Amino acid sequence: MTTADYIALAFFAWVWVAYSWLLHGRTFFGRTSLTHAMTERRREWIYNSLRRDLKMIDTQIMAGLQNGTAFFASTSIFAIGSCFALLGATEKVDAVFADLPFVFHGGHAVFEMKVGGLAALFGYAFFKFGWSYRLFNYCTILFGSIPMMRDSERDIIAAERAAERVIRMNVIAGSNFNEGLRAIFLSIGYLGWFINPYVFMMTTAIVIFVLARRQFFSEARLAIMDAGAPSNLHLSAIRRDMPSSDGRDLPEGL
């Protein structure tokens, strides 16, 4: 490996750590991240479940979170297998790289080391997704301990403690899921190393820029932030004793 390779690898690790540290803070230039905003929405969801006895919608949400985590865990396993398959095709890759311009190929050992690093990224992602799946499973069990609405009204403190346990477990599971997904995203930037170290640094910077933009400057972030209703909305209650706009009476129950 050349000096540029070591610099690019150090840049990759530093950017990853710096971005993770940035997301652990609450704000960036006075802007709340999408992750922290979603933490508050998780809290609202769990506390809202205290006000209803029928919790089928909550169990469906939990199942959706688990299924999404399981999908990415399975994908990581397939990606690891693909990396090992790539190690068996080193000679074919050499022949392809030999005809490509701007590709710095350092030989079999360097290529195998790069593939090993890519497999390590997917392995890290798998462990994060696997742990997140387990924590979402625990979260489902803790959610089952939330009392019914009548019992919550009798002992609101106990109900809030049960809700806080679910919230903390849900947030930790979501954090591990995000870290695994971040590793998957950064593996896209890592692919630039197979071309040359300069492309490696450029693709890593692009991936981090896209992730930071989604966290702090995206429309998705604005969609979940607290804001007043738009001025162009005209919402009013529907009176049951008035006919509809087409002259027909509204049926009972609407």
Side-chain angles (χ1 to χ4, degrees), residues 57-99:
I57 183 173
D58 305 298
T59 56
Q60 287 296 321
I61 295 173
M62 292 287 189
L65 293 174
Q66 282 189 303
N67 291 337
T69 306
F71 168 78
F72 280 105
S74 301
T75 302
S76 300
I77 287 293
F78 291 140
I80 293 172
S82 300
C83 289
F84 283 107
L86 188 59
L87 288 175
T90 305
E91 294 182 358
K92 294 181 180 180
V93 174
D94 281 341
V96 173
F97 281 176
D99 298 330

Short mmCIF file of all heavy atoms in Angstrom, two decimals, residues 57-99:
data_model
loop_
_atom_site.label_atom_id
_atom_site.label_comp_id
_atom_site.label_asym_id
_atom_site.label_seq_id
_atom_site.Cartn_x
_atom_site.Cartn_y
_atom_site.Cartn_z
N ILE A 57 -52.42 -1.29 16.55
CA ILE A 57 -51.60 -0.43 15.71
C ILE A 57 -50.17 -0.36 16.24
O ILE A 57 -49.20 -0.33 15.45
CB ILE A 57 -52.23 0.98 15.60
CG1 ILE A 57 -51.39 1.85 14.66
CG2 ILE A 57 -52.34 1.64 16.98
CD1 ILE A 57 -52.03 3.20 14.37
N ASP A 58 -50.01 -0.37 17.55
CA ASP A 58 -48.67 -0.32 18.14
C ASP A 58 -47.89 -1.60 17.86
O ASP A 58 -46.70 -1.56 17.55
CB ASP A 58 -48.77 -0.09 19.64
CG ASP A 58 -49.59 1.15 19.97
OD1 ASP A 58 -49.17 2.24 19.58
OD2 ASP A 58 -50.63 1.01 20.61
N THR A 59 -48.56 -2.74 17.98
CA THR A 59 -47.88 -4.00 17.69
C THR A 59 -47.52 -4.10 16.22
O THR A 59 -46.49 -4.70 15.87
CB THR A 59 -48.77 -5.19 18.10
OG1 THR A 59 -50.05 -5.10 17.43
CG2 THR A 59 -49.00 -5.20 19.59
N GLN A 60 -48.33 -3.51 15.34
CA GLN A 60 -47.99 -3.50 13.91
C GLN A 60 -46.76 -2.65 13.66
O GLN A 60 -45.91 -3.00 12.83
CB GLN A 60 -49.18 -2.99 13.11
CG GLN A 60 -50.33 -3.95 13.00
CD GLN A 60 -49.97 -5.21 12.23
OE1 GLN A 60 -49.24 -5.17 11.25
NE2 GLN A 60 -50.47 -6.34 12.70
N ILE A 61 -46.65 -1.53 14.36
CA ILE A 61 -45.46 -0.68 14.22
C ILE A 61 -44.23 -1.44 14.69
O ILE A 61 -43.16 -1.40 14.04
CB ILE A 61 -45.65 0.63 15.00
CG1 ILE A 61 -46.77 1.46 14.40
CG2 ILE A 61 -44.35 1.44 15.00
CD1 ILE A 61 -47.13 2.69 15.22
N MET A 62 -44.34 -2.10 15.83
CA MET A 62 -43.21 -2.89 16.36
C MET A 62 -42.80 -3.97 15.36
O MET A 62 -41.60 -4.19 15.12
CB MET A 62 -43.60 -3.53 17.69
CG MET A 62 -43.81 -2.56 18.83
SD MET A 62 -42.24 -1.89 19.42
CE MET A 62 -42.81 -1.02 20.88
N ALA A 63 -43.78 -4.65 14.78
CA ALA A 63 -43.47 -5.70 13.81
C ALA A 63 -42.77 -5.12 12.58
O ALA A 63 -41.85 -5.73 12.03
CB ALA A 63 -44.74 -6.44 13.41
N GLY A 64 -43.22 -3.94 12.16
CA GLY A 64 -42.57 -3.30 11.02
C GLY A 64 -41.13 -2.94 11.29
O GLY A 64 -40.26 -3.11 10.43
N LEU A 65 -40.85 -2.46 12.50
CA LEU A 65 -39.47 -2.14 12.87
C LEU A 65 -38.60 -3.39 12.88
O LEU A 65 -37.45 -3.37 12.40
CB LEU A 65 -39.45 -1.46 14.25
CG LEU A 65 -40.10 -0.07 14.33
CD1 LEU A 65 -40.14 0.41 15.78
CD2 LEU A 65 -39.34 0.93 13.47
N GLN A 66 -39.13 -4.47 13.42
CA GLN A 66 -38.37 -5.72 13.46
C GLN A 66 -38.13 -6.28 12.06
O GLN A 66 -37.01 -6.74 11.75
CB GLN A 66 -39.09 -6.75 14.31
CG GLN A 66 -38.94 -6.56 15.80
CD GLN A 66 -39.49 -7.74 16.58
OE1 GLN A 66 -40.65 -8.08 16.44
NE2 GLN A 66 -38.67 -8.36 17.39
N ASN A 67 -39.14 -6.24 11.21
CA ASN A 67 -38.99 -6.79 9.86
C ASN A 67 -37.97 -6.00 9.05
O ASN A 67 -37.17 -6.59 8.31
CB ASN A 67 -40.34 -6.78 9.15
CG ASN A 67 -41.33 -7.77 9.74
OD1 ASN A 67 -40.92 -8.74 10.37
ND2 ASN A 67 -42.61 -7.53 9.56
N GLY A 68 -37.98 -4.68 9.19
CA GLY A 68 -36.98 -3.87 8.48
C GLY A 68 -35.57 -4.17 8.95
O GLY A 68 -34.64 -4.25 8.14
N THR A 69 -35.41 -4.35 10.25
CA THR A 69 -34.09 -4.67 10.79
C THR A 69 -33.63 -6.04 10.32
O THR A 69 -32.46 -6.23 9.96
CB THR A 69 -34.14 -4.62 12.32
OG1 THR A 69 -34.64 -3.35 12.75
CG2 THR A 69 -32.75 -4.81 12.90
N ALA A 70 -34.54 -7.01 10.31
CA ALA A 70 -34.18 -8.36 9.85
C ALA A 70 -33.78 -8.35 8.38
O ALA A 70 -32.87 -9.09 7.97
CB ALA A 70 -35.36 -9.30 10.07
N PHE A 71 -34.44 -7.53 7.58
CA PHE A 71 -34.09 -7.45 6.16
C PHE A 71 -32.65 -6.98 5.96
O PHE A 71 -31.89 -7.58 5.19
CB PHE A 71 -35.06 -6.49 5.45
CG PHE A 71 -34.62 -6.12 4.06
CD1 PHE A 71 -34.81 -7.00 3.00
CD2 PHE A 71 -34.02 -4.90 3.80
CE1 PHE A 71 -34.41 -6.67 1.72
CE2 PHE A 71 -33.61 -4.55 2.53
CZ PHE A 71 -33.81 -5.45 1.48
N PHE A 72 -32.26 -5.93 6.67
CA PHE A 72 -30.91 -5.41 6.51
C PHE A 72 -29.87 -6.36 7.10
O PHE A 72 -28.75 -6.44 6.61
CB PHE A 72 -30.80 -4.03 7.15
CG PHE A 72 -31.35 -2.93 6.29
CD1 PHE A 72 -32.57 -2.35 6.58
CD2 PHE A 72 -30.65 -2.48 5.19
CE1 PHE A 72 -33.09 -1.34 5.79
CE2 PHE A 72 -31.16 -1.48 4.38
CZ PHE A 72 -32.39 -0.91 4.68
N ALA A 73 -30.23 -7.08 8.18
CA ALA A 73 -29.31 -8.07 8.72
C ALA A 73 -29.05 -9.18 7.70
O ALA A 73 -27.91 -9.60 7.50
CB ALA A 73 -29.87 -8.65 10.02
N SER A 74 -30.10 -9.65 7.05
CA SER A 74 -29.95 -10.67 6.01
C SER A 74 -29.13 -10.15 4.84
O SER A 74 -28.28 -10.86 4.28
CB SER A 74 -31.32 -11.15 5.53
OG SER A 74 -32.08 -11.67 6.60
N THR A 75 -29.38 -8.90 4.45
CA THR A 75 -28.63 -8.31 3.36
C THR A 75 -27.14 -8.23 3.69
O THR A 75 -26.28 -8.46 2.82
CB THR A 75 -29.17 -6.90 3.06
OG1 THR A 75 -30.57 -6.98 2.75
CG2 THR A 75 -28.44 -6.26 1.89
N SER A 76 -26.82 -7.91 4.93
CA SER A 76 -25.41 -7.84 5.34
C SER A 76 -24.73 -9.20 5.24
O SER A 76 -23.57 -9.30 4.82
CB SER A 76 -25.31 -7.30 6.78
OG SER A 76 -25.87 -6.01 6.88
N ILE A 77 -25.45 -10.26 5.60
CA ILE A 77 -24.90 -11.61 5.49
C ILE A 77 -24.61 -11.95 4.03
O ILE A 77 -23.55 -12.50 3.69
CB ILE A 77 -25.86 -12.63 6.12
CG1 ILE A 77 -25.83 -12.53 7.65
CG2 ILE A 77 -25.50 -14.04 5.69
CD1 ILE A 77 -24.52 -12.95 8.26
N PHE A 78 -25.54 -11.61 3.15
CA PHE A 78 -25.33 -11.87 1.72
C PHE A 78 -24.13 -11.08 1.20
O PHE A 78 -23.36 -11.57 0.36
CB PHE A 78 -26.58 -11.52 0.93
CG PHE A 78 -27.74 -12.45 1.18
CD1 PHE A 78 -29.03 -11.96 1.27
CD2 PHE A 78 -27.53 -13.82 1.32
CE1 PHE A 78 -30.09 -12.81 1.50
CE2 PHE A 78 -28.59 -14.67 1.55
CZ PHE A 78 -29.87 -14.18 1.63
N ALA A 79 -23.98 -9.85 1.68
CA ALA A 79 -22.86 -9.02 1.24
C ALA A 79 -21.53 -9.61 1.70
O ALA A 79 -20.54 -9.59 0.96
CB ALA A 79 -23.03 -7.61 1.77
N ILE A 80 -21.50 -10.15 2.93
CA ILE A 80 -20.28 -10.80 3.42
C ILE A 80 -19.93 -12.01 2.55
O ILE A 80 -18.77 -12.22 2.18
CB ILE A 80 -20.45 -11.21 4.90
CG1 ILE A 80 -20.57 -9.97 5.78
CG2 ILE A 80 -19.28 -12.06 5.36
CD1 ILE A 80 -20.93 -10.28 7.22
N GLY A 81 -20.93 -12.80 2.21
CA GLY A 81 -20.71 -13.95 1.33
C GLY A 81 -20.19 -13.52 -0.04
O GLY A 81 -19.32 -14.20 -0.62
N SER A 82 -20.71 -12.39 -0.54
CA SER A 82 -20.23 -11.89 -1.82
C SER A 82 -18.77 -11.47 -1.75
O SER A 82 -18.01 -11.65 -2.72
CB SER A 82 -21.10 -10.71 -2.27
OG SER A 82 -22.45 -11.10 -2.41
N CYS A 83 -18.36 -10.92 -0.62
CA CYS A 83 -16.95 -10.53 -0.45
C CYS A 83 -16.04 -11.75 -0.49
O CYS A 83 -14.98 -11.72 -1.13
CB CYS A 83 -16.78 -9.77 0.86
SG CYS A 83 -17.49 -8.11 0.88
N PHE A 84 -16.44 -12.83 0.15
CA PHE A 84 -15.62 -14.05 0.12
C PHE A 84 -15.60 -14.64 -1.29
O PHE A 84 -14.58 -15.21 -1.71
CB PHE A 84 -16.13 -15.06 1.13
CG PHE A 84 -15.74 -14.75 2.54
CD1 PHE A 84 -16.67 -14.28 3.46
CD2 PHE A 84 -14.43 -14.92 2.97
CE1 PHE A 84 -16.30 -13.99 4.76
CE2 PHE A 84 -14.05 -14.64 4.26
CZ PHE A 84 -14.99 -14.15 5.17
N ALA A 85 -16.72 -14.52 -2.00
CA ALA A 85 -16.72 -15.00 -3.38
C ALA A 85 -15.79 -14.16 -4.25
O ALA A 85 -15.13 -14.68 -5.16
CB ALA A 85 -18.14 -14.96 -3.93
N LEU A 86 -15.72 -12.86 -3.94
CA LEU A 86 -14.83 -11.98 -4.70
C LEU A 86 -13.37 -12.33 -4.46
O LEU A 86 -12.53 -12.17 -5.36
CB LEU A 86 -15.11 -10.53 -4.30
CG LEU A 86 -14.41 -9.43 -5.11
CD1 LEU A 86 -14.81 -9.52 -6.57
CD2 LEU A 86 -14.79 -8.06 -4.54
N LEU A 87 -13.05 -12.81 -3.27
CA LEU A 87 -11.67 -13.21 -2.99
C LEU A 87 -11.24 -14.39 -3.87
O LEU A 87 -10.05 -14.55 -4.17
CB LEU A 87 -11.52 -13.59 -1.52
CG LEU A 87 -11.55 -12.45 -0.51
CD1 LEU A 87 -11.52 -13.00 0.91
CD2 LEU A 87 -10.39 -11.49 -0.73
N GLY A 88 -12.18 -15.19 -4.28
CA GLY A 88 -11.85 -16.33 -5.13
C GLY A 88 -11.72 -15.96 -6.59
O GLY A 88 -11.38 -16.83 -7.41
N ALA A 89 -12.00 -14.72 -6.92
CA ALA A 89 -11.91 -14.27 -8.32
C ALA A 89 -10.86 -13.19 -8.48
O ALA A 89 -11.01 -12.28 -9.30
CB ALA A 89 -13.27 -13.78 -8.79
N THR A 90 -9.79 -13.28 -7.69
CA THR A 90 -8.76 -12.24 -7.71
C THR A 90 -8.10 -12.12 -9.08
O THR A 90 -7.86 -11.00 -9.56
CB THR A 90 -7.69 -12.55 -6.65
OG1 THR A 90 -8.33 -12.68 -5.38
CG2 THR A 90 -6.67 -11.43 -6.58
N GLU A 91 -7.82 -13.22 -9.72
CA GLU A 91 -7.15 -13.18 -11.02
C GLU A 91 -8.03 -12.52 -12.08
O GLU A 91 -7.54 -11.76 -12.91
CB GLU A 91 -6.76 -14.59 -11.44
CG GLU A 91 -5.70 -15.22 -10.54
CD GLU A 91 -5.32 -16.60 -11.02
OE1 GLU A 91 -5.91 -17.06 -12.03
OE2 GLU A 91 -4.44 -17.23 -10.38
N LYS A 92 -9.32 -12.81 -12.05
CA LYS A 92 -10.22 -12.18 -13.01
C LYS A 92 -10.31 -10.68 -12.77
O LYS A 92 -10.35 -9.89 -13.72
CB LYS A 92 -11.61 -12.80 -12.91
CG LYS A 92 -11.66 -14.26 -13.33
CD LYS A 92 -13.08 -14.81 -13.23
CE LYS A 92 -13.12 -16.27 -13.64
NZ LYS A 92 -14.50 -16.83 -13.54
N VAL A 93 -10.32 -10.29 -11.51
CA VAL A 93 -10.36 -8.86 -11.18
C VAL A 93 -9.08 -8.17 -11.64
O VAL A 93 -9.09 -7.04 -12.14
CB VAL A 93 -10.59 -8.66 -9.68
CG1 VAL A 93 -10.48 -7.18 -9.31
CG2 VAL A 93 -11.95 -9.20 -9.27
N ASP A 94 -7.94 -8.85 -11.49
CA ASP A 94 -6.66 -8.30 -11.97
C ASP A 94 -6.72 -8.02 -13.46
O ASP A 94 -6.24 -6.98 -13.93
CB ASP A 94 -5.53 -9.28 -11.66
CG ASP A 94 -5.09 -9.21 -10.22
OD1 ASP A 94 -5.38 -8.19 -9.57
OD2 ASP A 94 -4.45 -10.17 -9.74
N ALA A 95 -7.30 -8.94 -14.20
CA ALA A 95 -7.37 -8.77 -15.65
C ALA A 95 -8.27 -7.59 -16.02
O ALA A 95 -7.99 -6.85 -16.96
CB ALA A 95 -7.90 -10.06 -16.30
N VAL A 96 -9.34 -7.41 -15.24
CA VAL A 96 -10.25 -6.28 -15.51
C VAL A 96 -9.58 -4.96 -15.15
O VAL A 96 -9.61 -3.99 -15.92
CB VAL A 96 -11.56 -6.45 -14.74
CG1 VAL A 96 -12.43 -5.20 -14.87
CG2 VAL A 96 -12.32 -7.67 -15.25
N PHE A 97 -8.95 -4.89 -13.98
CA PHE A 97 -8.31 -3.65 -13.53
C PHE A 97 -7.14 -3.26 -14.41
O PHE A 97 -6.81 -2.08 -14.53
CB PHE A 97 -7.83 -3.80 -12.09
CG PHE A 97 -8.93 -3.64 -11.07
CD1 PHE A 97 -8.68 -3.83 -9.72
CD2 PHE A 97 -10.22 -3.30 -11.45
CE1 PHE A 97 -9.68 -3.69 -8.77
CE2 PHE A 97 -11.23 -3.15 -10.52
CZ PHE A 97 -10.96 -3.35 -9.18
N ALA A 98 -6.50 -4.22 -15.02
CA ALA A 98 -5.33 -3.92 -15.86
C ALA A 98 -5.71 -3.10 -17.08
O ALA A 98 -4.87 -2.36 -17.63
CB ALA A 98 -4.65 -5.21 -16.28
N ASP A 99 -6.96 -3.20 -17.52
CA ASP A 99 -7.40 -2.48 -18.72
C ASP A 99 -8.12 -1.18 -18.40
O ASP A 99 -8.56 -0.48 -19.31
CB ASP A 99 -8.34 -3.37 -19.55
CG ASP A 99 -7.64 -4.63 -20.04
OD1 ASP A 99 -6.42 -4.56 -20.26
OD2 ASP A 99 -8.32 -5.66 -20.20
#
